[in-house]
Amino acid sequence: MLQLLEIASIIQPRLTLTLLIGAITLLACKIIYGYFKALRYFKKLNIPGPAPWPLLGNLPFMFKIGDHNLIHSLLAKRYGKVYGVFYAGEPFTLVSDYDIIKRILIKDFAAFPNRRVPFSFPFKYLKNVLVIARDDNWKRIRNAMTPNFTGNQLRGILPIIDSKTPEMLSILASCSRKNESVEMRKLCREFAMTAILSVAFGVQTTSKKQNAKLIEAGSEIVGKVQLRSIIYLISSFALEVIRKSPFDFDLKYFSRLDMTAREVIHSRRQSNDEDTHRDLLQLMMKANNNGKLSDDEIIAQAFTFLIAGFEPTANMISFVAYVLATHPEIQDKLIEEIDDELQNQTDDLDYNKIQGLKYLDMVMCEAVRMYPPATILVREIAYDCTIEGYQFKKGGNIMIPVYNIHHDSTQWPDPEKFIPERFTQEEKQKRHVASYLPFGVGPRMCIGMRLALMEVKIVIVRILQQMRFKAVPETEMTLKLKASPLLRGAFFFGFASTCLRGLEVSLTQQAVKIQKKEELFTSSGTSYLYTDNTVDVAYLKIDYIEESTMLQLLEIVRNIVQLRLALTLLCGGLTLLAIKIIYGYFKALNYFGKLNIPGPTPWPLFGNLPFMFKIGNHNLIHSLLAKQYGKVYGVFYASEPFTVITDYDIIKRVLIKDFTAFPNRRLPFSFPFKYLKSILTIARDDDWKRIRSHITPTFTGNQLRGIFPIIDSKTPELVSALTADGRHNDSVEVSKLFREFAMETILSVAFGVQTESKKQKSKLIEAGTEIISKVQLRSVIHILSSLMLDVIRMSPFDFDRKHFQRLDRTAREVIYSRRQSNHENVRRDLLQLMIEAAKNGQLSDDEIIAQSVTFLIAGFETTANAISFATYLLATNPEVQDKLIAEIDDAFQGETENLNYDKIQDLKYLDMVFCETMRLYPSGTVIVREIASDISLEGYQFKKGGNVMIPVYNIHRDSTQWPDPEKFIPERFTQEEKRKRNAVSYLPFGAGPRMCIGMRLSVTEVKIVLVRLLQRMRFSVTKETEIPLILNVTPILSPANGIKVGITMR
C-alpha cells in the first residue's frame, strides 16, 4: 500500500503538469482565435472603432478613462455616431444616430426584440420576469400586464403609495428639529423598497422585524442583479465564475419574497376579499382569473417591479431633491405651483391633481434627462439587417448611450444646465423623438414608467408641502456620478439641507458622522474607515495590532509560496511543451524517410503549413509538389502525415483492389448525438458495410423514378425566382438561389418535410445550413491540425445541438405520422424507402435519421455548386448552351409536363455537359483515406495510422489524360473518348466500394434543374461575370464570390 501511495505521489505532479500544459495551450488558442475574430468582426461590417486587445477587448482603454459616459463621448468624437467596441469578448455596436436609434427601438424592433441580460435566477419560473423575457413569451406577458398601468388603475394604487410617505416625512421632521443629519439616499431607498413590497408583493405588516427582513431580501436581490449586469458587460466569461462565488444569488432571499407573495395570493383567494385591494398584485390576480397569467408568472412580475423599479425610483427622488436644493428659484416656483393647486391640502392626494402639476412634470423630466435612471440601453441583434447603410450581424449587441444622448448639445443647448422649461409642449416638438430615452421608447419601453413617475411626484409633493431643500457648504455643486448601467445619485452628493417652512436644518451627514466617529475612536480605541463620496459608512475594526501584523505576514508568506508554485508549474509546462515539439519534429523528419517517400522538409510544430500558406492555392500546392517530387510524396499538415498520390495504378489499388487496407474516411465529426456516428460518410468498418448494404437498394433506377416528381415539384419556385431577377437585373447572382433550392429539396426528399409555412421552412433551412457550415469548417481545421479539434469544442466552431434537434424532431414526427396513417399512397421519398427498410429490421429509427443527415452533409453543397458551375460554363460557352437547348427542345417538343426519369437519362449531351462540369469543378477537391494496415503498393510503403490523400482537382487537370485541361469540352465524355482514359482519372464521386452512394440522385437533381431552366431561359456573360472564376479551394470546391450571369427568357 505504501508503495502504491509513493507511485501515486510521483504520478500526481506529472498529471498536474500535463493538465496545465493542455489548459495553457487551449487557453492560448482560444485567446488567439478570439483576438483575430474580434479584429475582423467590425471590419467585415465596415463599422469603425478602436482596435481591441487580446482577451480584454477595449476594456484597458475604458478602465484608463474610468468614466463610462466620458468614454463614449470621446469615442463618438473620434469615430462618429456608429462605432464598435469590445467588452472583453463581446462585440457592441454603439449607436447615437437618432434615425438609427428610432429604427432599432421602434420601426425595426423585430430585429432587436430582446434585452441582453445575464440573469439566470434560481427558480425556473423567473425566466418570465418581464425585463428578461424573450420573443413571444415577452409579448404575451407584456400584453397581459399593459392594462394594469392605465390611469384608472393608477388611481387605485396612488393611496397605497401615499400611505408610505408619513413615516418618511416624520424622520425628516425629527432630524430637522434635532439639527441632525439625514442620509437622504438611504431614506429614499427604504421608502422605495417599502412601496414596491406593498404594491407588487401585497405586503401589509406592522411588524418592524418582518418588514426589515423583506427589505433586506429585496435589497440583496437588487444588489446582486446590478453587480451581475456590470460583470456581464466586463466579461461574459465571468458569469460562469460567479455561480460559484459570493456574487451568486442567495436562494433564501428569493424564497422569502416568493413565500410572502404566495401567502398573500392564497389569503386573498380564501377570504374572497379580492375586490377590496387595488394594488398591482391584485390586478395581476385578476389577469390570472382570465387565464392570462399563472401564479408563477404573477410572482415573476412582482420581481420585475422590484428589479426594475427599486433603484431607479430611489435615485430619481434623490436627484430631484439635489437639483431643487441647488436651484432655489426653481424650487420656489414648484412650491408655488403645489400650494396653488393643492390649497395646502395634506389629506388624500388626488391622481388628477398630481397629473395637473405641469411644472412638477417639467422638473421631473429635466431631472431624468440630466440623470437618467439607466445610462445605456442594450439590445441583442436577432438577425442580420442593414440600417442606414450599416450592417448589424445576428448574435451581436446594440448599445445606446442614453446619458450621452441626453447631454447632446445639438438637441439640448447648455446640456449641463437644469432648465425644466425644455419640456414645454412647444420645446418638445422641436426635438427628435429618440433624443430623450430615460425609460426607452418603442414596444420594449419601460412598462412601469407612469407608476415610477407618479411615485416620485407623490414624495416630492409631500415633502415640499412641509419643508424645502437647501444647499450647504458640503453640497457638491458639480455632482460626481458613478456611471454604471444604473446611474446612482444621492450617494454622490454630500448634499443638501431640508428645512421646515421657516426653519432651516443642515443635513450635512458627512461632517456630523465623521465627527461622531472620531469621538468614538478616542474613547474606545476602535478605528473606523470612512469611504469617500459615499453615503454608507464602512467600518473596519482592529482590536489588536499584533494579531493584524501576524495575519499580514502570513498572507505575504502564502502569496510568495503560491507565486513560486505557479512559476514552477509554468516553467515545467513550457519545458514539456518544448520537449514535445522537438520530439515531434524529429519524428516527422524520419517518418517519410523510413518509408522511402520523398517530400518537402517539415517545420517544427507546423509541418508543411508555412509553405502551403505562402502559396495559398491548395491545388497549386499539389501541382508544384508533384512536379518536384513525383506522383507519390509526403507532406505534414501540422503533425499529421499525408501521403499524396497521383499515380493512377496506385489510386486504383487504394480505392478498389486493396480497399480493405484503406476502408475509412478520416473525418473530425463528433456529433452531439451518439447515433449520428452511423452517418454513412463517417461510419467505419463493419458498421459502414452493414448500413451501406441496406441503403444501396434505395438508389436503383426504379426508386429514383419515384423520387423524381418530388424533386421536379421544387423547380417552379426556382424558375419563378430566376425569371423575376432576370427581368429586373442585368446580372443575377444565381448560386444563392441554387443553394436554397438544394436545401429545400434535401429537406423534402431526405427528411420528408412537407410544409407551406415559410417560418417553419426557414427554420429548417437555417438548421441545415448551419450544420453544413460547421461540418465544412471542421473538415478544414482537421486537415490543418487535429489538435485544434479539442479547441473548437469550447469555441463558436462547435456544433449547436439545437440545429440537430430541430431536424431530428422533424424527421421523427414524419416517421411517426407515416407509420400511424398506414397510407398506401405515401410519398416515395428517401425517408419512406428507409422506413420500409426498417420494417425488415435492417435499420433502426436512429440509423434512418443518421442517413438523412448523411444526405444533407454530402448532398447539399455539392449539388448546389454543381448547378452553379454548370450555369457558369453554359453562359461562358454559348455554343455548348445552344447545342444543349437544341437537344432538350428535340426531346420534349416544347412540352413542359412530360418530364420523367427515363427521358432525362436519354439526354446524352446533357450527360456530357454534366460530366465535363464535374471534371473542371469537382465537388470534392481531395479524397482522404486512413491507412488501416501496413501495406506495400508499387514499391511504396504505407504505414498503419497514416493517411492517403488523392488530389482530385489536380488529377482532373492532368494533360496526359485531358488535353487542353482548362477548356470546357463536353465531347470528352463520348463513349469512345472515355475508353481512352484510365478509369481513375475521373473521380468527382470517388471510386470503388466507398464511392458516393447518392451520385445517381445528385446527377438526376442537377439534370432536372438544367432542363427546367433551359426550357424557359438561356444564360449569358455580363460585365459582372468573373472570367476566370475565382474559387474557394477547400475540401468542397465553391465559387468565392458567387456566380453572376445574365438571364434572357426564351
Side-chain angles (χ1 to χ4, degrees), residues 27 101 105 157 187 299 347 350 409 434 442-443 471 588 599 686 690 723 747 759 767 814 854 886 970 1007:
L27 180 61
I101 291 171
L105 298 180
I157 295 171
L187 192 61
I299 297 169
D347 296 332
D350 179 77
S409 60
D686 291 340
R690 176 182 61 83
T723 301
L747 291 174
K759 185 178 181 181
V814 173
T854 296
K1007 288 181 178 180

Side-chain angles (χ1 to χ4, degrees), residues 550-563:
M550 181 61 69
L551 288 172
Q552 289 176 1
L553 288 172
L554 288 173
E555 183 68 16
I556 291 168
V557 171
R558 186 173 67 86
N559 288 338
I560 290 171
V561 171
Q562 286 184 342
L563 179 61

Side-chain angles (χ1 to χ4, degrees), residues 438-631:
F439 300 97
V441 72
R444 200 126 196 177
M445 183 179 184
C446 174
I447 195 172
M449 176 188 72
R450 296 175 71 184
L451 175 62
L453 290 175
M454 181 181 76
E455 188 175 343
V456 177
K457 287 178 180 179
I458 290 169
V459 174
I460 296 300
V461 166
R462 286 308 194 190
I463 291 174
L464 294 181
Q465 281 183 319
Q466 299 184 39
M467 55 195 79
R468 68 170 68 239
F469 301 100
K470 185 177 180 181
V472 294
E474 290 81 5
T475 304
E476 288 181 354
M477 300 309 291
T478 301
L479 200 56
K480 294 177 183 177
L481 300 173
K482 184 178 286 186
S484 62
L486 281 177
L487 195 67
R488 300 171 66 176
F491 39 87
F492 293 109
F493 57 86
F495 69 95
S497 65
T498 67
C499 63
L500 296 169
R501 294 295 176 88
L503 176 63
E504 281 194 7
V505 182
S506 173
L507 296 180
T508 55
Q509 77 277 14
Q510 290 181 337
V512 173
K513 286 188 175 178
I514 292 175
Q515 184 181 2
K516 289 183 178 180
K517 299 303 178 270
E518 287 173 349
E519 291 172 359
L520 286 170
F521 174 76
T522 55
S523 61
S524 66
T526 302
S527 171
Y528 294 88
L529 174 67
Y530 184 75
T531 56
D532 186 30
N533 283 327
T534 64
V535 167
D536 298 326
V537 179
Y539 306 93
L540 176 64
K541 185 173 182 179
I542 304 173
D543 291 324
Y544 301 100
I545 294 177
E546 296 87 298
E547 181 182 348
S548 172
T549 305
M550 181 61 69
L551 288 172
Q552 289 176 1
L553 288 172
L554 288 173
E555 183 68 16
I556 291 168
V557 171
R558 186 173 67 86
N559 288 338
I560 290 171
V561 171
Q562 286 184 342
L563 179 61
R564 292 188 66 178
L565 177 61
L567 287 172
T568 302
L569 290 174
L570 180 60
C571 291
L574 293 173
T575 302
L576 287 177
L577 182 61
I579 292 170
K580 186 180 186 305
I581 292 170
I582 294 167
Y583 169 73
Y585 177 58
F586 284 103
K587 183 180 177 182
L589 280 177
N590 293 328
Y591 184 86
F592 287 114
K594 287 182 179 180
L595 301 176
N596 200 28
I597 292 173
T601 303
W603 285 51
L605 195 62
F606 299 106
N608 298 113
L609 289 178
F611 165 74
M612 296 178 183
F613 288 143
K614 182 179 179 181
I615 301 301
N617 186 312
H618 195 263
N619 301 320
L620 179 58
I621 290 164
H622 290 302
S623 179
L624 293 172
L625 292 176
K627 286 179 182 178
Q628 185 172 354
Y629 297 105
K631 293 186 176 182

Side-chain angles (χ1 to χ4, degrees), residues 40-319:
R40 293 193 300 268
Y41 185 86
F42 287 114
K43 281 186 180 178
K44 285 183 179 179
L45 302 177
N46 201 29
I47 292 173
W53 286 51
L55 194 64
L56 302 175
N58 299 112
L59 289 178
F61 166 75
M62 296 179 184
F63 288 145
K64 182 179 178 182
I65 301 300
D67 187 321
H68 195 264
N69 301 318
L70 179 58
I71 289 164
H72 292 304
S73 178
L74 293 172
L75 292 177
K77 285 180 182 177
R78 183 169 182 181
Y79 296 107
K81 293 187 175 182
V82 178
Y83 60 89
V85 295
F86 275 86
Y87 285 79
E90 289 286 320
F92 286 79
T93 304
L94 272 291
V95 181
S96 54
D97 181 286
Y98 298 119
D99 293 330
I100 298 177
I101 291 171
K102 185 177 179 180
R103 290 191 60 179
I104 288 170
L105 298 180
I106 305 172
K107 187 176 179 183
D108 294 299
F109 171 77
F112 312 89
N114 299 316
R115 291 190 174 100
R116 192 165 184 83
V117 182
F119 305 135
S120 177
F121 288 125
F123 300 119
K124 285 185 178 179
Y125 73 81
L126 291 176
K127 70 181 180 181
N128 295 316
V129 167
L130 192 60
V131 291
I132 64 170
R134 302 172 66 83
D135 304 316
D136 291 341
N137 194 38
W138 165 79
K139 191 175 182 180
R140 177 183 61 80
I141 295 170
R142 175 89 183 201
N143 288 339
M145 291 297 300
T146 298
N148 296 336
F149 295 92
T150 62
N152 188 46
Q153 306 296 11
L154 291 177
R155 284 184 181 87
I157 295 171
L158 186 145
I160 302 171
I161 297 172
D162 193 27
S163 69
K164 306 300 174 185
T165 59
E167 186 176 352
M168 183 181 188
L169 293 172
S170 174
I171 294 170
L172 288 171
S174 174
C175 291
S176 298
R177 293 188 193 98
K178 296 175 184 178
N179 197 26
E180 290 181 350
S181 65
V182 175
E183 291 185 81
M184 191 64 187
R185 178 174 176 266
K186 182 180 178 183
L187 192 61
C188 291
R189 285 167 62 85
E190 289 174 355
F191 167 80
M193 183 60 75
T194 304
I196 284 174
L197 290 174
S198 181
V199 169
F201 288 85
V203 173
Q204 291 177 294
T205 176
T206 55
S207 167
K208 288 187 176 181
K209 185 176 179 181
Q210 186 178 351
N211 258 341
K213 283 188 174 182
L214 293 174
I215 289 172
E216 178 196 14
S219 301
E220 179 68 20
I221 290 168
V222 171
K224 289 292 171 66
V225 165
Q226 292 176 14
L227 188 58
R228 288 174 75 118
S229 299
I230 296 167
I231 290 171
Y232 180 69
L233 277 180
I234 294 173
S235 171
S236 56
F237 174 73
L239 289 178
E240 301 298 328
V241 177
I242 65 175
R243 292 192 183 109
K244 299 180 182 179
S245 77
F247 295 150
D248 198 18
F249 291 116
D250 193 329
L251 275 170
K252 70 179 180 183
Y253 296 117
F254 281 95
S255 299
R256 192 175 291 165
L257 292 177
D258 177 282
M259 187 168 57
T260 299
R262 291 186 192 277
E263 286 174 355
V264 172
I265 292 170
H266 178 75
S267 172
R268 291 185 182 181
R269 285 178 179 153
Q270 290 295 311
S271 61
N272 292 320
D273 63 345
E274 296 180 14
D275 292 336
T276 63
H277 301 282
R278 295 292 302 276
D279 53 28
L280 275 178
L281 186 68
Q282 189 61 46
L283 296 173
M284 292 190 286
M285 287 174 65
K286 287 182 180 178
N288 172 272
N289 296 337
N290 299 328
K292 293 179 180 179
L293 293 174
S294 66
D295 280 3
D296 281 348
E297 288 172 337
I298 289 173
I299 297 169
Q301 301 333 302
F303 278 106
T304 296
F305 303 124
L306 172 66
I307 293 165
F310 162 58
E311 192 79 39
T313 302
N315 287 342
M316 281 192 287
I317 298 169
S318 301
F319 280 126

